[in-house]
Amino acid sequence: MAFDPPYAAPRQGRVFFERPELERLLRLYGRMVAAGEWRDYAIDGLSDAAVFSVFRRASEQPLYRVEKRPALARRQGAWAIIGEGGMILRRGQDLEQVLRFFDKGRFKVVE
């Protein structure tokens, strides 16, 4: 009988979104799709972070990335919104507070 390490070793833990977090992200995505601003999304569960990426077109780089990094929860906040160029646009402890970043452009002044 041969010992096969990949099957014997437990899988490394992955960080992923909890159901309420994912529901909130998909609700935001639906609102932005209805507004015509976003067209596609991707979800990645990595060993140190969970990433929700949104795209203007499917063939582009992500327009925004919403990242959950539990290792940074006590220092900078587990949640971050990262822009197209890799710049951190918003960081915080609470997902709702961080996602308010997308509410800024909802209202326009009409003359």
Side-chain angles (χ1 to χ4, degrees):
M1 179 178 268
F3 179 69
D4 192 3
Y7 292 108
R11 288 185 51 182
Q12 294 291 332
R14 298 255 179 202
V15 177
F16 206 72
F17 300 106
E18 295 176 13
R19 183 177 294 247
E21 297 165 348
L22 193 56
E23 286 176 357
R24 179 61 181 103
L25 289 167
L26 290 173
R27 207 170 343 140
L28 171 67
Y29 173 75
R31 190 180 81 211
M32 298 303 258
V33 167
E37 295 185 32
W38 296 350
R39 291 195 178 213
D40 200 8
Y41 73 94
I43 300 174
D44 296 316
L46 307 174
S47 61
D48 63 338
V51 182
F52 184 86
S53 304
V54 293
F55 302 86
R56 187 173 290 139
R57 291 180 203 85
S59 63
E60 292 184 350
Q61 288 186 333
L63 187 60
Y64 296 104
R65 290 187 334 248
V66 179
E67 292 188 356
K68 175 185 178 182
R69 293 189 180 267
L72 298 177
R74 291 192 177 188
R75 285 181 247 147
Q76 301 169 356
W79 295 97
I81 296 175
I82 300 172
E84 204 168 7
M87 184 176 191
I88 297 174
L89 304 174
R90 189 125 189 216
R91 186 179 288 280
Q93 302 286 349
D94 182 39
L95 177 61
E96 282 295 323
Q97 177 251 342
V98 170
L99 292 181
R100 286 190 197 132
F101 171 81
F102 296 109
D103 290 342
K104 291 180 183 176
R106 269 179 94 180
F107 301 104
K108 297 180 182 177
V109 177
V110 179
E111 293 182 26

